[in-house]
Each structure stands twice: as C-alpha cells, then as structure tokens.
Amino acid sequence: MVKFAKILALSAVAALFASPLFHSSKALASGSAEPLLEVSWSHRGPLGTFDRASLQRGLQVYREVCSGCHGLRFIAFRNLLEIGLKEAEAKVIAAEYTTMDGPNDEGEMYERPGKLSDYMPSPFDNEKAARASNNGAFPPDLSLMAKARIGGENYIYSLLLGYEEEAPEGVTLAEGMSYNRFFPGHQIAMGPPIDDEAVEYADGTVPTKEQIAKDVSAFLMWTAEPALEQRKRMGVKVILFLVVLTIVLYGVKRKVWADLH
Amino acid sequence: MSGHSSFQTNNPVLKWIEYRLPIFGFINDSLVVYPTPKNLNYWWNMGSLAGMMLVLQIITGVVLAMHYTPHADLAFASTEHIMRDVNYGWMLRYMHANGGSMFFIVVYIHIFRGMYYGSYKAPRELLWWLGIIIFILMMATAFMGYVLPWGQMSFWGATVITNLFSAIPIVGEAIVTWLWGGFAVDQPTLNRFYSLHYLLPFVIFAVVFIHLWALHVHKSNNPLGIDIKGPQDTIPFHPYYTVKDLYGMGIFGIIFAWLLFFAPNLLGEPDNYIPANPLVTPTHIVPEWYFLPFYAILRAIPDKLFGVIAMFASLFILFALPWLDTSKVRSARFRPVYKMLFWAFFINCFVLGYIGAKPPEGIFLVVGRLSTALYFLFFLVLPFIGWFERPKKLPESIATAVLESSGDDGGGGGGAPDGAAAKAEDRG
C-alpha cells in the first residue's frame, strides 16, 4: 500500500504541475470578465459523440448566415460525409459553388462547379477585400475558431447570444459597432448575426436563437476537431489496456521483488 | 563487475561477435547484472521515463516531419493537414505536443529528486552537469518546436525570446538579426528552427548516453545518500529494476494517455490555433508552462539586460550546486535544515511558475520579485547550512538500514539482504 501511496503522490505532483499553471494562464488571457453561458454538449465527456442532426443544422446555419463573411478553409466538401450527409447530398452542396480551375490544355483558367475534393470557398479573395466590405473589420476563418478561443464552443455560443441592443450607460460605440457582453472589449464589428427564426430547419426543430447558436457552435467544434470521436473512442481502449497491463506489471513486480523480503 | 565483462556464452555466433565487438557484454554489464542500490524508491523511476519520452518524441517527430512543411505560408496549413488528413495524424501531433509536457514533468521531478537526495554531490558532479546540459538542450528544442506550427503564440513567443538577445550590449542587435536570418521572425527563422529542432534531439540522445556512462561509474545514488559498500547493498538491475521501471511506465502511460486522448489542448494556448500574424500582437504572450518560472524571473527584474542575466543565471547556477552545498551528507532525510530549505525552494518554484503566467503588474510583480530573490537566496544560504547543520546519524550501510526499516521507504526494496546478495553473485 505504501507503494500505491507513493504512486498517487507522484501523479498528484504531475497534476499539480499542470493544473494551477493552466488555470492561471487561461484566466489571464480572457479579456471579458463575464462568465460564459454554459450549454450541455453531447460531444463533451470521455464517451461524448457529436449530435449528427445538430451538426447538419449547424452546417445549414453556417451556409445561410455565416458564410457570407466567414470562410471555412480547412473543410472540404468530402468532409461533410463525416457528419452524416449522403454522398449525393454533399455533391449537390459542392456543386452550388463555383471554383476556378485550370489551366486547361489551351492554358486557360476556367470556372467549374465544386467537387467533393474541393475546399469550402472563402467569401473574399483576400484580407483587403474582406476589410473593404466589412467596415474595416476582417471576419476570421471559422475552421478552428472553437479551439482558438478560451471557452471554445461555449465562447462561440455565448458570443452569438451576447448582443445587447443598447450599450450600457457610459459606453460609446464607434460607428457601425455593436455591443457584446462576451467579446473582449465588448465592441464587436459583427452585427447580431442570428435571431429567432433566422433559418428554417427542415427537420422541424424550432429555430430559436438559442437553438441556432447551439447548432452552429457544435458544428464549429466539429470543424475544429473532426477527429474528436475517434480520439475519445481510442482513448477509452488505450486506457483500459494500460490499466490491465499496469495491474499485471504490478503483480510481476511484486513477485520478482518478493524474494528480497 | 567492471573491467572484464561478465558475459559468458557458448553460442559460436555470439562468441564471434563478442570477440570483435563486446556489445553483449556491454549490455549485460549495464542493463542486466548492473549493480543497483536495493533501496531505490519510485522517484528513481524518472530517469527511465525520461529516456522513454525522448525516444517517443523522436519517433513521433520523425513521422510528423514527413508531413510538415517548414514554410511561413504553409506551416500552419500543413499542421492542420496532419490533424485532418494524415492517418492518425491527430494522434501523432497530440502525442508529440503533450509528450513534450510529459517529458518536462518527468525531468523536473528527476531534477528535484536529485536535489532532495543530494545526487549531485561527489563523485557525481559531472553526472549532474550533464543532466543540466540535457535540460538546457531540451528547453532549446522545445522552444523551437513550439514555433513550428506557426500560430500566433509560436510567432510571438519566438519574437519575444529571440529579442532577449538584443539586451546584450553593442552586439545584441546584430546577434538577433543573425538568429532571425533577417530583420524579423520570418521564413528564414522558421526554416532554421525546423532544422535545429530536428537536430537537437539527437544531440540530447548523445548527451544522455554520456550521462548514463557517468552514472554507471559510481552507480545510482539512493534515498539514504550513502555509498554502496559491497554486494550486500545492491541488486542486479534486471529483473528488479527493469520490472519496476516497466510498472512505472504503465502508471505514467495512463496519465499520458488521459492527457493525450481526453484533454489534448489543456496545456496549449488557444491563440496558437490562430495563424501567425506579424501585424497583430496577442494580448498576453505566454510561453509554454515549463518555461513559466524562468519567464517570471526574467520579468521580475526592471532592467532588460539584468532580467536576461538573472534568467540565465537561475539556470546556470545549478552547475555550481555541488560546490555550493558544503555538507558531507547527501540525503535530505538526514539533514533537517536542508530539508526545510528544499521544500521552501520547491514551493517557491511553483509560485514562480504561477507568477510567470500572470501579467507583470501590481501584486504579481511584487510576489514575482520576492520569489526571484528567494530563488537565488536558496543558493546563497546553502553553503552556510552545511557548516552549522547537525545531520542525523547515518546508517552503517544500505543493507543494514533496509533490514532495520523494512518497507519504510525502499519502495519494495526492503527486506532481508542475504537472498538478494546471493542472487546478485550468482548472476555476476
């Protein structure tokens, strides 16, 4: 038992090393004092899986609301099969976009409908073009947004719902800016993007703004970490294996050392 | 055990090889019959764990390098390519990134263990030095590796750290330009960091080899800190410590797997998932957690040059430890004053780490300065402790101590020595 206690102490030190530093560095980096809104996500926890229906609704929200300004450059149309779209459905979506391809045998560039192997086209040709049409602001690519902000998908969800019609007293907003409780500095160039019934869901889900925010946040978690399910499934197997192996090794160790006692 | 090899065989092929290159004898002497103090506790598992992590980092790193592109325009996207399109690429990258953290955790425990039990004292000073060299090489390697994904924190971390050299009078600016290969952190910087990040692990590997060479001359220290007096004090490395190390690797593997599969971004900075942008500075530039104590020391000093000097001094002062510690007794177990001092130093390192993650203002700055002073005070006070401290009575030998307190601290190493000694002789 003494040995177990020592191993426990050892792990505790390892954890100690990690946890306080982690929390401090996180807390420090967050600009907004307001705690994020909490939602329950099916993909959280060691056995969590994505809610396919929600991801597909999120895709719809992205395409109908976000994609006007925000790109998704690391997602190819073929990836949409992973969230449960049929190949034919993904092909239809891909074909709705036109892509520049070429050069062909005559040396000309040409436009053609998107294919499964194409990546989601970005809405602007470059950052300058994006800023020119967005009051000087640059709408970031959303592929990794759920990992690039403290709070992850909870941050995206909170941000989408954190708009106030009027800035609190004493706060003056610059021209064209909106007030958001969760945005660092509270002044955000993006206007409130969603409202109740901003989209119409084909599966009959009621499109409240909370529902819309949740679906698109879950979708963006998937775009940021598409291997999440595979990772967790493998993690469970690996840890179970290691636990059994370690118990066996402990037994062997006891047996080998027994002749010294 | 030294001198002539203990390896005996009748196999003609092995004999033929052994006559020309005594490699089996070498392995036999250093991993099988190698005499090890019988009372090592679990803190002595860290060395083999660190070795395992080095090998794992090299393996995952070599495979990652097959898919990564060291170009300022492509590095970020190629990292995402690894995460998304390479088979098990996400696992390789998370294993490598978190492996770095686990490597540092293990090495930090290894260093603290050496300090607690006085493993740096004669005749192990060079062993200790080689360890510090490995630690410094690890820091350089980790720093350059963190730059490779070319995220915001990669870029700005590289900018801040390389800029430290500009504090050097007269030649500082020239050195920084030389390090960058230009006038800012850019493509040449990324390319050379990639090259060096690939090179340094093999340098570390070589120094680890010398570290083990030095270790095997006077053998491991032990929790009692007294010398091996004879075969009754030791047991052969195999099977006793091979199995104990394997068991430790199992426990370690579970912790590592948990981090890797269930919290792979816990120790990372979200900002590094934003592509590097020289025009946008992150609000808070924070190094990886394992650099935080040193970062705190750097920022505690108001003057840039002296801050840099203090930071490097906090590292290099470890080289002087064997001579700063004037006590003849190694283990803190028999040194009541040093023991308290050690724990104060230990806690202070955590305080420094905490401060390193905070902005250098208000109370954090005050505490940071105090902690920095305490850090160096430890090394200043140390020589005097050795003079006035009255150490407790040391046991006669490892064997008698183990007999007296069976199971107390031996980590399974307690018990009657006779059988083990006999066994060691059989094998030897």
Side-chain angles (χ1 to χ4, degrees), chain B residues 246-387:
Chain B
L246 282 172
Y247 169 54
M249 284 175 189
I251 299 283
F252 174 82
I254 293 169
I255 301 169
F256 186 17
W258 171 81
L259 193 64
L260 163 60
F261 290 106
F262 297 115
N265 292 306
L266 179 74
L267 300 170
E269 283 297 323
D271 273 31
N272 228 27
Y273 281 110
I274 304 169
N277 185 348
L279 302 175
V280 180
T281 317
T283 343
H284 297 286
I285 301 173
V286 192
E288 288 278 81
W289 69 264
Y290 36 80
F291 293 134
L292 290 175
F294 301 99
Y295 196 52
I297 292 175
L298 169 76
R299 299 192 301 179
I301 315 285
D303 180 82
K304 186 177 177 184
L305 176 60
F306 285 102
V308 173
I309 291 173
M311 185 183 72
F312 281 107
S314 67
L315 207 49
F316 285 100
I317 200 166
L318 292 171
F319 282 110
L321 194 57
W323 295 276
L324 290 176
D325 188 345
T326 49
S327 174
K328 292 276 176 281
V329 177
R330 291 198 190 98
S331 174
R333 192 176 290 176
F334 305 104
R335 301 186 57 192
V337 183
Y338 175 73
K339 194 186 215 167
M340 286 191 299
L341 203 65
F342 169 86
W343 287 115
F345 178 80
F346 180 79
I347 293 164
N348 190 46
C349 286
F350 280 86
V351 174
L352 280 171
Y354 176 78
I355 295 297
K358 294 286 179 191
E361 56 200 27
I363 183 75
F364 299 129
L365 195 59
V366 178
V367 176
R369 286 183 176 157
L370 203 68
S371 284
T372 302
L374 285 175
Y375 182 93
F376 288 104
L377 198 64
F378 170 80
F379 295 96
L380 290 179
V381 167
L382 208 50
F384 303 100
I385 304 289
W387 293 331

Side-chain angles (χ1 to χ4, degrees), chain B residues 47-65:
Chain B
S48 69
L49 288 177
M52 179 183 84
M53 283 318 294
L54 176 62
V55 172
L56 193 66
Q57 289 298 85
I58 290 178
I59 293 171
T60 52
V62 166
V63 181
L64 286 169

